[in-house]
């Protein structure tokens, strides 16, 4: 399996385990059960993901890969 931080990682679907309400302009909200497309790991604990046609940061611990 390719690391989320690797340049070889090309994205993967994940499902939101919890609702997430953004606290900054860089974060993006999601609801429990949403299917999101994870682009890569920005930094430990945070992912860049596409959620409902928008892109932003989401907490890694709030999703499970499918």
């Amino acid at each position: 399996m390719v690391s989320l931080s690797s340049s070889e990682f090309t994205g993967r679907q994940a499902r939101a385990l919890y609702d997430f309400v953004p606290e900054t302009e860089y974060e993006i909200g999601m609801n429990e059960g949403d299917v999101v497309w994870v682009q890569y790991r920005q930094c430990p604990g945070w992912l860049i993901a596409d959620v409902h046609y928008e892109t932003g940061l989401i907490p890694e611990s709030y999703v499970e890969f499918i």
Side-chain angles (χ1 to χ4, degrees), residues 5 41-47 57-61:
S5 302
R41 179 181 286 132
Q42 174 68 23
C43 57
W46 290 93
L47 305 171
L57 286 166
I58 60 170
E60 188 170 353
S61 62

Side-chain angles (χ1 to χ4, degrees), residues 6-50:
S6 169
S7 62
E8 296 177 19
F9 183 77
T10 57
R12 189 167 170 196
Q13 278 192 323
R15 179 173 288 112
L17 298 172
Y18 316 102
D19 292 347
F20 176 66
V21 177
E23 296 180 5
T24 73
E25 64 183 290
Y26 305 106
E27 298 170 356
I28 189 164
M30 62 183 178
N31 297 310
E32 180 182 347
D34 283 350
V35 175
V36 304
W37 182 258
V38 175
Q39 295 183 17
Y40 60 92
R41 179 181 286 132
Q42 174 68 23
C43 57
W46 290 93
L47 305 171
I48 295 291
D50 300 330

Side-chain angles (χ1 to χ4, degrees), residues 14 44 52 66:
H52 302 296
I66 52 176

